[in-house]
Amino acid sequence: QKEVEQDPGPLSVPEGAIVSLNCTYSNSAFQYFMWYRQYSRKGPELLMYTYSSGNKEDGRFTAQVDKSSKYISLFIRDSQPSDSATYLCAMSGDSSYKLIFGSGTRLLVRP
Amino acid sequence: DTEVTQTPKHLVMGMTNKKSLKCEQHMGHRAMYWYKQKAKKPPELMFVYSYEKLSINESVPSRFSPECPNSSLLNLHLHALQPEDSALYLCASSQDLVSQPQHFGDGTRLSIL
């Protein structure tokens, strides 16, 4: 079993839809939770970063961490075609250099 | 624009060539990383530098040789690469070795003929 599981998609939604992207994990020591967006032929761009549990909101993006269920989510409101990309979740423990990535979910927002 | 800059964006080289990839960050970060990413896969860690010293080598073949000339620069020297080394090579940085998050550059797309 992988430490971090993420549905690879692709996930296809119409413009304006609310998108929900999720990852589950098995290591209870994870404390740092990141979401990266990666466009084709570009590097991963940090979207959201959360330490420990809770919610974080930035514009149309909301990140949620539920440590009791070992489950993290990224919500995108009013999705746009420009949101079409691969979304990678990544996690790390306290005092750890190592990022453990999910496999990435490919999102397509149709105009 | 990313705050981690990588050059060149693309590189094509033969198996006998020697080339270098370059990375620069101006965020004052003291940890820098090299990753390799194959198509439709997440990045895989190769090397970690902390305060300009090599801290982690994830069992990378010696045909890849990292160098950290100063706190802002990171190089990856390439020699006698194999076709399976064709990939996107990503540089990242973080505040220090035990801090997150890491910030990535746009990578160098490397093709080995």
Side-chain angles (χ1 to χ4, degrees), chain A residues 70-81:
Chain A
K70 296 191 179 69
Y71 188 87
I72 70 170
S73 301
L74 177 71
F75 297 97
I76 307 174
R77 288 182 297 282
D78 187 25
S79 56
Q80 302 295 309

Side-chain angles (χ1 to χ4, degrees), chain A residues 20-57:
Chain A
S20 173
L21 302 168
N22 311 294
C23 289
T24 58
Y25 64 95
S26 56
N27 189 341
S28 57
F30 288 151
Q31 292 278 31
Y32 294 92
F33 302 92
M34 276 74 62
W35 285 97
Y36 289 90
R37 176 175 65 193
Q38 188 169 22
Y39 292 114
S40 180
R41 301 186 176 277
K42 293 284 191 178
E45 171 194 5
L46 181 67
L47 269 183
M48 301 290 282
Y49 157 61
T50 311
Y51 178 76
S52 193
S53 280
N55 294 358
K56 191 169 186 178
E57 189 172 321

Side-chain angles (χ1 to χ4, degrees), chain A residues 32 34 36 38 40-46 49 88 91-99 101-104 106, chain B residues 10 33 35 37 40-43 45 48 56 58 88 90 97-107 109:
Chain A
Y32 294 92
M34 276 74 62
Y36 289 90
Q38 188 169 22
S40 180
R41 301 186 176 277
K42 293 284 191 178
E45 171 194 5
L46 181 67
Y49 157 61
L88 290 155
M91 309 177 191
S92 182
D94 262 334
S95 302
S96 175
Y97 65 90
K98 195 148 193 170
L99 276 184
F101 286 93
S103 56
R106 201 165 129 242
Chain B
H10 302 96
Y33 310 76
Y35 287 85
Q37 188 178 27
K40 300 190 192 305
K41 297 285 187 186
L45 184 64
V48 183
I56 306 290
E58 294 280 332
L88 181 67
L90 295 162
L97 191 61
V98 297
S99 293
Q100 300 294 349
Q102 295 177 25
H103 298 262
F104 286 83
D106 275 339
R109 187 159 297 279

Side-chain angles (χ1 to χ4, degrees), chain B residues 14 24 31-32 53 77 92:
Chain B
E24 189 169 8
M32 296 184 76
K53 293 198 185 325
H77 303 297

